Amino acid sequence: NVAVALLDITNTGSSSRNVTINASSSFATSASGNELRGTVNAPNTGALTTVSTRLSGDSMTVNGTSLTRTMSIGPGATTQAKVQMGWITDEIEESSAEYDTYKAYDNNTAFATHVQTYNQWWVDNVPYLDVPDPYVKKILYYRWWINRFNSIDGDIPGNDWQFPTCVEGALGYGNIISVSVPWILDDIKYLRNPIYSYGTWLGAGECANDYAYRDNPGVNGMWNKKMMQYTSRAGWGAYKLHGGPLSMLKNFAEYAENDINGQFDTYDGNNNKLIAYSDSTLTGNDGCCPSMNYYSTTGREILTERIDASAYNYGNVVAAAEMYDYMGNTAKAAEMNTLANTIKTNFVNAFWSDSADAFLHVDAATGRQSPWKDNNFNGYWMGVVPTNDSKYKEMFRLFNNSTDYLIF
């Protein structure tokens, strides 16, 4: 909640020098004692909360819309200076006290406190890894680092930012993009504290409003679509690790079922329980779905029944069935299992090509399969591909031919 800049200013000359430093920010321009203050709507729509900003510096005074300080530094001497800016909200009560605390610290204490607090989070949350490949180990820790960097605990009442959650790109989208939620959950479910994975899943489910998961509306200009995802499957994986009250799991199962029905309602126009898109961005692979152009006569993407989205929806259906079964709701579990079997049958009949020995995306208008491939392997990952017929293994030969199938 506080940004701090630490300065060591050294006079390398042979005589004393006066040095003036200034600090300013467009976020804080109104004088209040020895501080500059301001308010910022967050995010740019102002729909969520108001952030109060406070800018100050050690021994600095207000001069218009800047802070200033002049210091005399002897030859060879070093003088320290510190500037801090608080980002304070009513919802995060400790944010104001944290700013006052850092304002009172000297440089060394401020830095040590920051480092110790940061490192303690890793001690408290990240499991120890012992893997033989240092590069694998490095990327695993990097994934946890990037998710921590992109996490927010706004504690804002309502149905979007009330829980700790991870966003896609704190320096870019600054929003919860639904396609990336399951990828994030697959990483953060291994953190020792389940609040990060449960908070992310709860936020997605509450924001969906009894319908398909969609992008959190925090930044209205960013996406705000119902995208391809396997959030319920990934969330159920987190619950298997951490457990929790059945009342919470009941909410999760209902999120899953509502999402499944919402996906069918939005993207299954012919009621065959397969998902069709005419916009490749819904897959998260922006402009990288050539199969959707193969039969196009206009150069634009056409409505295509998708292997990846249909497989992900199947994974969510199976997760819902398992959640209901775990809670003893056998009727709902049977309903979800029946739906899963229907999806599996239709998936194989529509997408498998005996002549190509591969699963291929389908032109929704004609039922023709597209030989151009992208995201064609998701059915194996989600378990929708039958395991009792060895012919389905033939598709894996494509991994050995980069000219036939570009892996991304």
Side-chain angles (χ1 to χ4, degrees), residues 350-395:
F351 296 130
W352 179 255
S353 169
D354 282 321
S355 60
D357 280 334
F359 287 99
L360 302 175
H361 299 292
V362 171
D363 174 19
T366 65
R368 295 176 297 180
Q369 294 173 324
S370 171
W372 289 352
K373 303 176 184 70
D374 57 79
N375 277 19
N376 293 56
F377 281 94
N378 298 66
Y380 295 94
W381 176 23
M382 289 292 125
V384 68
V385 176
T387 58
N388 58 356
D389 192 331
S390 61
K391 73 177 183 179
Y392 299 118
K393 298 179 182 178
E394 293 299 317
M395 187 174 176

Side-chain angles (χ1 to χ4, degrees), residues 1 88-99 153 155:
N1 304 309
I88 298 160
T89 66
D90 292 338
E91 295 87 356
I92 304 177
E93 296 180 0
E94 64 272 21
S95 58
S96 180
E98 186 177 2
Y99 167 79
D153 185 5
D155 203 23

Side-chain angles (χ1 to χ4, degrees), residues 168-327:
E168 182 182 341
L171 303 181
Y173 297 143
N175 205 7
I176 302 172
I177 310 300
S178 57
V179 70
S180 64
V181 169
W183 310 335
I184 292 169
L185 286 172
D186 279 341
D187 290 331
I188 63 177
K189 69 182 180 183
Y190 294 108
L191 298 179
R192 292 191 177 100
N193 192 337
I195 195 171
Y196 298 102
S197 51
Y198 288 172
T200 300
W201 193 7
L202 284 165
E206 288 296 297
C207 184
N209 196 24
D210 298 331
Y211 201 58
Y213 295 129
R214 62 187 178 93
D215 301 340
N216 186 296
V219 180
N220 290 333
M222 287 297 178
W223 297 77
N224 294 288
K225 297 178 179 179
K226 296 181 284 291
M227 302 181 73
M228 183 180 82
Q229 41 71 28
Y230 58 96
T231 295
S232 297
R233 183 182 189 269
W236 174 228
Y239 189 89
K240 289 177 181 178
L241 283 175
H242 294 286
L246 293 183
S247 57
M248 181 176 69
L249 185 61
K250 180 176 181 293
N251 284 344
F252 288 152
E254 290 175 353
Y255 297 156
E257 186 177 3
N258 290 331
D259 170 63
I260 293 160
N261 292 330
Q263 295 292 335
F264 286 141
D265 185 53
T266 307
Y267 299 119
D268 180 23
N270 61 4
N271 198 33
N272 67 349
K273 305 306 178 186
L274 302 177
I275 302 300
Y277 295 151
S278 58
D279 177 3
S280 65
T281 64
L282 296 175
T283 70
N285 297 319
D286 310 349
C288 297
C289 295
S291 62
M292 300 177 71
N293 294 87
Y294 184 77
Y295 290 111
S296 174
T297 59
T298 64
R300 298 175 63 86
E301 295 167 342
I302 59 176
L303 188 65
T304 303
E305 291 187 333
R306 298 286 305 177
I307 292 168
D308 44 7
S310 300
Y312 281 3
N313 211 37
Y314 172 85
N316 287 335
V317 172
V318 172
E322 292 178 355
M323 284 185 273
Y324 279 127
D325 182 67
Y326 184 80
M327 292 184 292

